[in-house]
Amino acid sequence: SAQQNVRANVDKLLQKKTYNSREAQTWTNFISEACVKSLTDLSKNFKYIISTLIVQKANCGLNISGSCFWDSETDGNFSIMWENASMVCIVNVYGMAL
C-alpha cells in the first residue's frame, strides 16, 4: 500500500540515526523526494504532494493541521508518524487524480 511504501522510505533512512539538527533538513528533503518517486512508481495516475517534518523528541507539544478542497471520490491523503528514541518524523501525503 502507499502508506507502507512511505513508512519504508522513512525507516530506510532514519532507522539507525539519532536526531542531528545539521542533518535534519537533508533527511526531510531525501524522504520527500524518495516518497514522490516511489509513489509515482506505484501509480502514475496521481499528482503527489509530500510534506515531511522531523523534530527532536522533547517534552513539548506539536500540533499540525491541513485542509483541502478536492474531489473526495478520486483524491485523498494520509499521514504517517515514525519515531525512535531521539526523534519523530511525520509525513503528510496528498494524492490528486490526474
Side-chain angles (χ1 to χ4, degrees):
S1 76
Q3 291 162 321
Q4 291 170 324
N5 188 301
V6 169
R7 187 171 299 282
N9 279 305
V10 174
D11 196 50
K12 180 179 177 181
L13 178 67
L14 297 180
Q15 69 179 342
K16 295 182 180 178
K17 296 199 175 4
T18 56
Y19 181 80
N20 180 322
S21 62
R22 291 181 305 270
E23 296 290 324
Q25 185 64 56
T26 301
W27 297 342
T28 59
N29 293 343
F30 179 85
I31 290 167
S32 293
E33 290 170 13
C35 288
V36 166
K37 182 182 180 334
S38 62
L39 289 170
T40 302
D41 289 346
L42 194 62
S43 175
K44 294 189 183 345
N45 296 326
F46 293 90
K47 292 181 182 180
Y48 295 101
I49 299 170
I50 310 291
S51 171
T52 304
L53 170 75
I54 295 176
V55 294
Q56 184 175 18
K57 269 195 175 175
N59 284 335
C60 62
L62 173 67
N63 299 288
I64 300 172
S65 75
S67 181
C68 299
F69 177 75
W70 58 24
D71 184 345
S72 60
E73 297 290 320
T74 57
D75 305 332
N77 71 306
F78 65 87
S79 298
I80 64 115
M81 185 176 100
W82 180 98
E83 62 184 301
N84 67 14
S86 69
M87 68 182 126
V88 174
C89 178
I90 299 170
V91 181
N92 294 304
V93 177
Y94 301 88
M96 287 73 64
L98 294 174

